[in-house]
Amino acid sequence: DAEDLDVACKSQSLIFSNFALQWCECLDTLATELYRVLRPGGQLVLAIPGPATLAELRHAWAQVNSAIHVNRFASLAHWQQALVDAGFTRIDLHSDTVTEEHSSVRELLLELKNVGAHNNNAGRPTTMTGKQQLKALYNAYEPYRLANGALPATWEIISGTVVKA
């Protein structure tokens, strides 16, 4: 639980996280906890998805129903503000966009399932997705098909280094 680390205050010189911190419920609590455990001069190195992640999938699902099917992620500005509020003064975060290409929506959904990217947002569906909904999703995703026949999946990746003064 990154929001409540069983680690002594000012005991860590490095915290590294690759696509894990976005699952924390309260960004302000997380930032305060990370600040607490880092020693002066300690670094937080992180990579997390940003709000533009899987925009195509989010928009396609929105055409199927009003449930939340794709995780919502905090913005670069929100991360920076939470880190500043926690006491960090040396924050070097940036956002990059990477577009993966998939042969089908099914392939994309299976990849997300295989990496353990489960929907953890309030408002997510509580029932199984049926064949009709999946068919509607596949059809709604079609307008995104690229000239080479692939279906894009955009990832906004926020990454960088934060140093405790």
Side-chain angles (χ1 to χ4, degrees):
D1 182 2
E3 292 167 298
D4 186 23
L5 295 168
D6 189 17
V7 177
C9 294
K10 300 179 183 177
S11 64
Q12 304 301 305
S13 59
L14 175 66
I15 298 173
F16 175 82
S17 178
N18 184 31
F19 273 57
L21 297 178
Q22 73 274 6
W23 302 120
C24 294
E25 289 186 27
C26 180
L27 190 49
D28 294 328
T29 301
L30 170 65
T32 299
E33 184 67 353
L34 296 171
Y35 187 87
R36 180 189 72 78
V37 302
L38 278 173
R39 60 179 55 145
Q43 294 184 36
L44 165 64
V45 179
L46 65 109
I48 44 172
T53 296
L54 300 173
E56 302 90 351
L57 184 59
R58 182 178 296 106
H59 294 134
W61 268 121
Q63 293 178 43
V64 175
N65 60 40
S66 61
I68 298 170
H69 293 272
V70 179
N71 285 311
R72 295 176 179 159
F73 301 111
S75 68
L76 174 63
H78 191 176
W79 277 95
Q80 288 174 321
Q81 189 60 57
L83 292 165
V84 166
D85 291 348
F88 290 100
T89 55
R90 292 178 48 202
I91 302 167
D92 181 22
L93 297 180
H94 58 277
S95 175
D96 295 301
T97 301
V98 175
T99 303
E100 293 181 342
E101 294 184 3
H102 298 273
S103 61
S104 67
V105 176
R106 183 177 186 278
E107 177 187 282
L108 168 60
L109 296 176
L110 286 173
E111 179 182 305
L112 292 172
K113 182 179 179 180
N114 288 338
V115 298
H118 301 289
N119 185 350
N120 67 343
N121 289 287
R124 69 181 176 267
T126 57
T127 59
M128 296 287 287
T129 302
K131 288 181 184 179
Q132 295 297 349
Q133 285 183 313
L134 285 175
K135 185 176 180 181
L137 172 65
Y138 296 168
N139 289 335
Y141 212 109
E142 270 308 306
Y144 294 103
R145 191 169 294 278
L146 303 172
N148 66 3
L151 291 170
T154 300
W155 290 83
E156 177 186 2
I157 301 171
I158 299 170
S159 61
T161 304
V162 181
V163 180
K164 181 176 178 178

